[in-house]
Amino acid sequence: MLPFEELGLEDLLKSFDAFDVLLLADTVTQKRISVSNKDEAVKAIIACSSSAEEIFGRQKITKKCIVNYLVAKNINFSAKWNKNELCAKVLEYWKHQYQMTCAQGSSTPASPEQSRHVNPPEAGAPHQVVYQTSPGPVTHIVNNYSTVYNQVIISPGTEKSTTGGGESTSVITNPHLQQLGETFTKWFYERWNAENPSVSYAVNDFGTHHFWDDASLLSLCLTPERIEDQCTGSAAVSEKLLSFVRDQQLMFNPNLTAEGIKVKSDPHGLVIILVCGTVHQSNRFVGIFDQMFGLIKDPAMNDNWRIKVMKLKISVTSAFSMPKLSDKSYEEIQDLERV
Protein backbone atom coordinates (compact mmCIF):
# COMPACT_ATOMS: atom_id res chain seq x y z
CA MET A 1 0.00 0.00 0.00
CA LEU A 2 1.28 3.46 -0.90
CA PRO A 3 2.15 5.74 2.03
CA PHE A 4 -0.35 8.43 1.03
CA GLU A 5 -3.08 5.77 0.93
CA GLU A 6 -2.23 4.76 4.50
CA LEU A 7 -2.53 8.34 5.72
CA GLY A 8 -5.77 8.84 3.81
CA LEU A 9 -7.34 5.60 5.04
CA GLU A 10 -6.43 6.49 8.62
CA ASP A 11 -8.22 9.82 8.17
CA LEU A 12 -11.27 8.14 6.57
CA LEU A 13 -11.62 5.33 9.12
CA LYS A 14 -11.28 7.66 12.08
CA SER A 15 -14.39 9.48 10.84
CA PHE A 16 -16.40 6.25 11.23
CA ASP A 17 -18.28 5.07 14.30
CA ALA A 18 -15.95 3.13 16.62
CA PHE A 19 -18.19 0.08 16.62
CA ASP A 20 -18.20 -0.12 12.81
CA VAL A 21 -14.40 0.16 12.70
CA LEU A 22 -14.04 -2.69 15.21
CA LEU A 23 -16.36 -4.90 13.16
CA LEU A 24 -14.43 -4.06 9.99
CA ALA A 25 -11.17 -4.95 11.74
CA ASP A 26 -12.62 -8.35 12.68
CA THR A 27 -13.49 -8.98 9.02
CA VAL A 28 -10.20 -7.77 7.54
CA THR A 29 -7.99 -9.59 10.07
CA GLN A 30 -10.27 -12.66 10.18
CA LYS A 31 -10.37 -12.10 13.97
CA ARG A 32 -6.72 -13.15 14.23
CA ILE A 33 -5.73 -9.83 15.76
CA SER A 34 -7.27 -8.71 19.05
CA VAL A 35 -8.01 -4.98 19.10
CA SER A 36 -9.51 -3.13 22.05
CA ASN A 37 -10.09 0.38 20.72
CA LYS A 38 -10.71 2.35 17.54
CA ASP A 39 -7.07 3.40 16.98
CA GLU A 40 -5.83 -0.19 17.19
CA ALA A 41 -8.60 -1.31 14.83
CA VAL A 42 -7.60 1.33 12.23
CA LYS A 43 -3.95 0.26 12.37
CA ALA A 44 -4.90 -3.42 12.03
CA ILE A 45 -7.15 -2.75 9.01
CA ILE A 46 -4.43 -0.83 7.20
CA ALA A 47 -1.70 -3.32 8.14
CA CYS A 48 -3.68 -6.28 6.81
CA SER A 49 -4.80 -4.66 3.53
CA SER A 50 -2.76 -4.48 0.34
CA SER A 51 -4.36 -1.34 -1.11
CA ALA A 52 -6.94 1.37 -0.56
CA GLU A 53 -9.09 -0.22 -3.28
CA GLU A 54 -9.25 -3.41 -1.24
CA ILE A 55 -10.69 -1.53 1.73
CA PHE A 56 -13.06 0.47 -0.48
CA GLY A 57 -14.47 -2.86 -1.67
CA ARG A 58 -15.48 -3.90 1.84
CA GLN A 59 -19.22 -4.01 2.54
CA LYS A 60 -18.86 -1.65 5.50
CA ILE A 61 -17.44 1.08 3.24
CA THR A 62 -20.71 2.17 1.66
CA LYS A 63 -21.33 4.81 -0.97
CA LYS A 64 -22.98 6.90 1.74
CA CYS A 65 -19.78 6.79 3.82
CA ILE A 66 -17.70 8.02 0.88
CA VAL A 67 -20.18 10.80 0.10
CA ASN A 68 -20.16 11.97 3.73
CA TYR A 69 -16.35 12.01 3.72
CA LEU A 70 -16.19 14.07 0.52
CA VAL A 71 -18.73 16.54 1.90
CA ALA A 72 -16.76 16.85 5.16
CA LYS A 73 -13.62 17.64 3.15
CA ASN A 74 -15.44 20.19 0.95
CA ILE A 75 -14.58 18.23 -2.20
CA ASN A 76 -16.77 18.75 -5.27
CA PHE A 77 -18.35 15.70 -6.90
CA SER A 78 -21.33 14.80 -9.04
CA ALA A 79 -24.47 13.35 -7.48
CA LYS A 80 -24.63 10.97 -10.48
CA TRP A 81 -21.28 9.32 -9.68
CA ASN A 82 -21.23 5.68 -8.64
CA LYS A 83 -19.18 4.36 -5.73
CA ASN A 84 -16.10 3.62 -7.87
CA GLU A 85 -16.04 7.17 -9.23
CA LEU A 86 -16.41 8.59 -5.73
CA CYS A 87 -13.57 6.42 -4.44
CA ALA A 88 -11.37 7.58 -7.31
CA LYS A 89 -12.05 11.18 -6.26
CA VAL A 90 -11.05 10.32 -2.68
CA LEU A 91 -7.78 8.78 -3.91
CA GLU A 92 -7.10 11.86 -6.01
CA TYR A 93 -7.62 14.04 -2.94
CA TRP A 94 -5.33 11.87 -0.80
CA LYS A 95 -2.60 11.91 -3.43
CA HIS A 96 -2.68 15.69 -3.56
CA GLN A 97 -3.05 16.08 0.21
CA TYR A 98 -0.54 13.56 1.53
CA GLN A 99 2.00 12.70 -1.18
CA MET A 100 4.14 15.76 -0.42
CA THR A 101 4.10 14.84 3.28
CA CYS A 102 5.21 11.30 2.47
CA ALA A 103 7.96 12.50 0.14
CA GLN A 104 9.37 14.81 2.81
CA GLY A 105 9.65 11.88 5.17
CA SER A 106 11.90 9.92 2.78
CA SER A 107 14.68 10.92 0.40
CA THR A 108 13.57 8.19 -2.02
CA PRO A 109 9.80 7.84 -2.40
CA ALA A 110 8.65 4.26 -2.16
CA SER A 111 7.46 2.58 -5.34
CA PRO A 112 4.32 0.44 -5.31
CA GLU A 113 6.52 -2.69 -5.34
CA GLN A 114 8.44 -1.49 -2.28
CA SER A 115 5.48 -0.21 -0.31
CA ARG A 116 4.66 -1.88 2.95
CA HIS A 117 2.24 -4.72 3.19
CA VAL A 118 1.40 -7.58 5.51
CA ASN A 119 1.08 -11.20 4.48
CA PRO A 120 -1.85 -12.88 6.25
CA PRO A 121 -0.66 -15.31 8.95
CA GLU A 122 -0.55 -18.94 7.98
CA ALA A 123 -1.36 -21.80 10.31
CA GLY A 124 1.59 -22.38 12.61
CA ALA A 125 3.22 -19.06 11.69
CA PRO A 126 4.95 -16.91 14.35
CA HIS A 127 2.41 -15.12 16.51
CA GLN A 128 3.31 -11.61 15.38
CA VAL A 129 2.12 -9.22 12.72
CA VAL A 130 4.97 -7.83 10.66
CA TYR A 131 5.54 -5.25 8.01
CA GLN A 132 7.59 -6.73 5.19
CA THR A 133 9.08 -5.47 1.94
CA SER A 134 8.57 -7.60 -1.15
CA PRO A 135 10.87 -9.29 -1.78
CA GLY A 136 13.16 -9.05 1.23
CA PRO A 137 13.50 -9.74 4.94
CA VAL A 138 11.21 -8.60 7.74
CA THR A 139 11.90 -4.91 8.35
CA HIS A 140 9.67 -3.95 11.25
CA ILE A 141 7.68 -5.77 13.94
CA VAL A 142 4.47 -4.13 15.13
CA ASN A 143 4.54 -4.82 18.85
CA ASN A 144 0.93 -3.65 19.34
CA TYR A 145 -0.26 -6.67 17.37
CA SER A 146 2.16 -9.32 18.62
CA THR A 147 -0.80 -11.31 19.84
CA VAL A 148 -1.64 -14.98 19.64
CA TYR A 149 -4.07 -16.46 17.14
CA ASN A 150 -6.60 -19.30 17.30
CA GLN A 151 -8.50 -17.53 20.09
CA VAL A 152 -11.64 -19.08 21.57
CA ILE A 153 -14.36 -17.06 23.30
CA ILE A 154 -14.86 -18.38 26.86
CA SER A 155 -16.83 -15.62 28.64
CA PRO A 156 -18.28 -12.15 28.00
CA GLY A 157 -15.52 -9.75 27.06
CA THR A 158 -12.66 -12.23 27.32
CA GLU A 159 -10.86 -14.65 25.03
CA LYS A 160 -8.84 -17.71 25.83
CA SER A 161 -5.54 -17.61 23.95
CA THR A 162 -3.19 -20.55 23.59
CA THR A 163 0.48 -19.60 23.31
CA GLY A 164 3.18 -21.61 21.64
CA GLY A 165 4.05 -23.18 25.00
CA GLY A 166 0.53 -24.46 25.49
CA GLU A 167 -0.31 -21.99 28.28
CA SER A 168 -3.64 -20.17 28.29
CA THR A 169 -4.24 -16.51 29.02
CA SER A 170 -7.40 -14.38 29.07
CA VAL A 171 -7.45 -10.94 27.46
CA ILE A 172 -10.14 -8.29 27.15
CA THR A 173 -11.59 -8.12 23.63
CA ASN A 174 -13.88 -5.75 21.80
CA PRO A 175 -15.25 -3.72 24.73
CA HIS A 176 -17.34 -1.67 22.28
CA LEU A 177 -19.42 -4.74 21.50
CA GLN A 178 -20.02 -5.36 25.20
CA GLN A 179 -20.94 -1.72 25.69
CA LEU A 180 -23.44 -1.97 22.83
CA GLY A 181 -25.00 -5.04 24.45
CA GLU A 182 -25.33 -3.42 27.87
CA THR A 183 -26.75 -0.18 26.43
CA PHE A 184 -29.26 -2.04 24.24
CA THR A 185 -30.35 -4.33 27.09
CA LYS A 186 -31.11 -1.43 29.43
CA TRP A 187 -32.91 0.43 26.63
CA PHE A 188 -35.04 -2.55 25.54
CA TYR A 189 -36.25 -3.76 28.95
CA GLU A 190 -37.15 -0.25 30.10
CA ARG A 191 -39.49 0.07 27.13
CA TRP A 192 -40.83 -3.46 27.31
CA ASN A 193 -41.59 -3.33 31.07
CA ALA A 194 -43.18 0.10 30.66
CA GLU A 195 -46.08 -1.60 28.84
CA ASN A 196 -47.04 -3.42 32.06
CA PRO A 197 -50.27 -1.84 33.43
CA SER A 198 -48.86 -1.87 36.98
CA VAL A 199 -45.89 0.33 36.01
CA SER A 200 -46.26 3.95 37.04
CA TYR A 201 -43.93 5.39 34.39
CA ALA A 202 -44.73 5.49 30.67
CA VAL A 203 -42.32 5.36 27.73
CA ASN A 204 -44.79 4.64 24.90
CA ASP A 205 -42.05 3.65 22.50
CA PHE A 206 -42.50 -0.11 22.15
CA GLY A 207 -43.78 -1.28 18.78
CA THR A 208 -43.23 -2.80 15.37
CA HIS A 209 -40.67 -0.13 14.36
CA HIS A 210 -38.07 -1.85 16.56
CA PHE A 211 -38.24 -5.01 14.43
CA TRP A 212 -37.45 -5.98 10.85
CA ASP A 213 -40.54 -6.86 8.81
CA ASP A 214 -39.50 -10.53 8.72
CA ALA A 215 -38.41 -10.67 12.38
CA SER A 216 -38.99 -13.95 14.23
CA LEU A 217 -39.54 -14.94 17.86
CA LEU A 218 -39.25 -18.37 19.45
CA SER A 219 -40.64 -18.46 22.99
CA LEU A 220 -40.46 -21.35 25.45
CA CYS A 221 -42.22 -21.32 28.82
CA LEU A 222 -41.47 -24.08 31.36
CA THR A 223 -44.30 -23.68 33.87
CA PRO A 224 -43.43 -26.66 34.46
CA GLU A 225 -45.46 -27.65 31.38
CA ARG A 226 -43.55 -26.98 28.18
CA ILE A 227 -45.30 -24.30 26.13
CA GLU A 228 -43.50 -23.45 22.90
CA ASP A 229 -44.60 -20.85 20.38
CA GLN A 230 -43.07 -19.32 17.26
CA CYS A 231 -44.16 -16.27 15.31
CA THR A 232 -42.86 -14.31 12.33
CA GLY A 233 -43.36 -10.71 11.27
CA SER A 234 -42.85 -7.46 13.15
CA ALA A 235 -46.51 -7.15 14.16
CA ALA A 236 -46.78 -10.73 15.42
CA VAL A 237 -43.50 -10.53 17.34
CA SER A 238 -44.43 -7.21 18.93
CA GLU A 239 -47.88 -8.49 19.98
CA LYS A 240 -46.44 -11.69 21.45
CA LEU A 241 -43.95 -9.77 23.55
CA LEU A 242 -46.63 -7.33 24.68
CA SER A 243 -48.84 -10.24 25.77
CA PHE A 244 -46.24 -11.20 28.39
CA VAL A 245 -46.16 -7.76 30.02
CA ARG A 246 -49.71 -6.49 29.32
CA ASP A 247 -51.86 -9.61 29.61
CA GLN A 248 -49.81 -11.70 32.03
CA GLN A 249 -48.38 -8.59 33.70
CA LEU A 250 -44.87 -10.03 33.91
CA MET A 251 -41.86 -7.86 34.71
CA PHE A 252 -38.42 -8.80 33.36
CA ASN A 253 -35.42 -7.82 35.48
CA PRO A 254 -32.23 -8.35 33.43
CA ASN A 255 -28.78 -8.81 34.94
CA LEU A 256 -27.21 -5.63 33.53
CA THR A 257 -23.65 -6.58 34.49
CA ALA A 258 -21.13 -8.33 32.22
CA GLU A 259 -22.10 -11.57 34.03
CA GLY A 260 -25.60 -11.32 32.61
CA ILE A 261 -24.89 -10.05 29.10
CA LYS A 262 -22.80 -11.65 26.35
CA VAL A 263 -22.28 -10.15 22.91
CA LYS A 264 -20.78 -11.55 19.71
CA SER A 265 -20.85 -10.58 16.04
CA ASP A 266 -20.39 -12.24 12.67
CA PRO A 267 -18.72 -10.90 9.51
CA HIS A 268 -22.11 -10.22 7.90
CA GLY A 269 -23.16 -7.57 10.43
CA LEU A 270 -25.40 -9.65 12.71
CA VAL A 271 -24.83 -8.90 16.41
CA ILE A 272 -26.01 -11.52 18.91
CA ILE A 273 -26.85 -10.40 22.46
CA LEU A 274 -27.56 -12.95 25.21
CA VAL A 275 -29.27 -11.78 28.40
CA CYS A 276 -30.44 -13.52 31.58
CA GLY A 277 -32.38 -12.30 34.61
CA THR A 278 -35.40 -12.80 36.84
CA VAL A 279 -39.16 -12.67 36.14
CA HIS A 280 -41.72 -11.12 38.52
CA GLN A 281 -45.50 -10.72 38.66
CA SER A 282 -47.34 -8.35 41.02
CA ASN A 283 -44.35 -8.10 43.39
CA ARG A 284 -44.03 -11.89 43.36
CA PHE A 285 -40.95 -13.76 42.15
CA VAL A 286 -41.90 -16.11 39.32
CA GLY A 287 -38.66 -17.53 37.95
CA ILE A 288 -35.77 -16.79 35.63
CA PHE A 289 -35.43 -16.02 31.93
CA ASP A 290 -32.86 -16.29 29.15
CA GLN A 291 -33.20 -14.18 26.02
CA MET A 292 -31.34 -13.82 22.73
CA PHE A 293 -31.48 -10.83 20.37
CA GLY A 294 -30.11 -10.80 16.83
CA LEU A 295 -29.58 -7.20 15.68
CA ILE A 296 -28.85 -5.79 12.22
CA LYS A 297 -28.38 -2.15 11.25
CA ASP A 298 -31.03 -0.64 8.98
CA PRO A 299 -29.53 1.83 6.46
CA ALA A 300 -33.04 3.15 5.76
CA MET A 301 -33.29 4.28 9.40
CA ASN A 302 -29.97 6.10 9.72
CA ASP A 303 -28.17 2.83 10.47
CA ASN A 304 -30.14 2.29 13.67
CA TRP A 305 -30.19 -1.25 15.04
CA ARG A 306 -33.36 -3.29 14.55
CA ILE A 307 -34.22 -6.73 15.91
CA LYS A 308 -34.06 -9.52 13.33
CA VAL A 309 -34.44 -12.62 15.49
CA MET A 310 -35.29 -13.35 19.13
CA LYS A 311 -35.50 -16.26 21.55
CA LEU A 312 -37.12 -16.16 24.99
CA LYS A 313 -37.06 -18.91 27.60
CA ILE A 314 -38.97 -18.49 30.87
CA SER A 315 -38.50 -21.06 33.62
CA VAL A 316 -40.75 -21.10 36.68
CA THR A 317 -38.24 -22.01 39.38
CA SER A 318 -36.59 -20.72 42.52
CA ALA A 319 -33.43 -18.65 42.59
CA PHE A 320 -31.30 -17.43 45.46
CA SER A 321 -29.23 -14.94 43.50
CA MET A 322 -29.27 -13.01 40.22
CA PRO A 323 -28.74 -15.48 37.35
CA LYS A 324 -25.44 -15.40 35.46
CA LEU A 325 -24.69 -16.67 31.97
CA SER A 326 -21.69 -18.50 33.38
CA ASP A 327 -24.17 -20.66 35.36
CA LYS A 328 -25.46 -22.06 32.06
CA SER A 329 -24.00 -25.15 30.48
CA TYR A 330 -22.07 -24.92 27.23
CA GLU A 331 -24.95 -26.66 25.44
CA GLU A 332 -27.49 -24.17 26.83
CA ILE A 333 -25.46 -21.19 25.62
CA GLN A 334 -24.93 -22.78 22.20
CA ASP A 335 -28.65 -23.49 21.83
CA LEU A 336 -29.60 -19.98 22.94
CA GLU A 337 -27.24 -18.14 20.58
CA ARG A 338 -27.94 -20.34 17.56
CA VAL A 339 -29.82 -18.33 14.91
Side-chain angles (χ1 to χ4, degrees), residues 9-45:
L9 285 168
E10 184 176 352
D11 185 50
L12 171 66
L13 293 172
K14 285 187 175 180
S15 70
F16 285 19
D17 178 74
F19 179 68
D20 289 331
V21 177
L22 288 164
L23 286 181
L24 180 60
D26 282 347
T27 302
V28 172
T29 66
Q30 299 178 12
K31 296 187 178 181
R32 291 177 174 178
I33 296 176
S34 175
V35 294
S36 58
N37 57 55
K38 185 176 180 179
D39 288 341
E40 288 184 5
V42 169
K43 292 177 182 177
I45 292 167

Side-chain angles (χ1 to χ4, degrees), residues 300-337:
M301 296 184 65
N302 296 320
D303 278 343
N304 284 329
W305 294 97
R306 298 176 73 186
I307 301 170
K308 179 75 170 178
V309 59
M310 292 179 65
K311 289 182 180 179
L312 174 63
K313 177 183 177 182
I314 301 174
S315 303
V316 176
T317 183
S318 58
F320 301 99
S321 61
M322 178 61 80
K324 305 175 184 177
L325 289 172
S326 58
D327 296 334
K328 314 294 178 183
S329 68
Y330 175 79
E331 288 76 15
E332 287 178 303
I333 294 295
Q334 287 290 99
D335 183 62
L336 185 61
E337 67 184 13

Side-chain angles (χ1 to χ4, degrees), residues 77-105:
F77 62 93
S78 170
K80 297 179 180 180
W81 286 359
N82 59 32
K83 182 182 175 182
N84 290 336
E85 291 170 319
L86 293 168
C87 290
K89 188 67 175 180
V90 171
L91 283 173
E92 178 185 321
Y93 166 73
W94 288 348
K95 189 172 183 179
H96 173 77
Q97 187 77 5
Y98 298 115
Q99 198 165 41
M100 183 63 71
T101 303
C102 297
Q104 290 173 350

Side-chain angles (χ1 to χ4, degrees), residues 163-220:
T163 64
E167 299 177 352
S168 295
T169 59
S170 292
V171 295
I172 299 298
T173 61
N174 225 340
H176 296 278
L177 264 183
Q178 186 66 23
Q179 183 180 7
L180 168 67
E182 293 174 7
T183 301
F184 169 82
T185 300
K186 184 175 184 295
W187 172 89
F188 178 84
Y189 287 96
E190 281 181 353
R191 281 155 179 75
W192 192 19
N193 285 325
E195 298 295 330
N196 189 309
S198 64
V199 173
S200 57
Y201 65 92
V203 178
N204 299 322
D205 187 39
F206 192 91
T208 57
H209 54 287
H210 297 314
F211 306 91
W212 286 90
D213 291 342
D214 59 347
S216 64
L217 167 66
L218 174 63
S219 61
L220 174 62

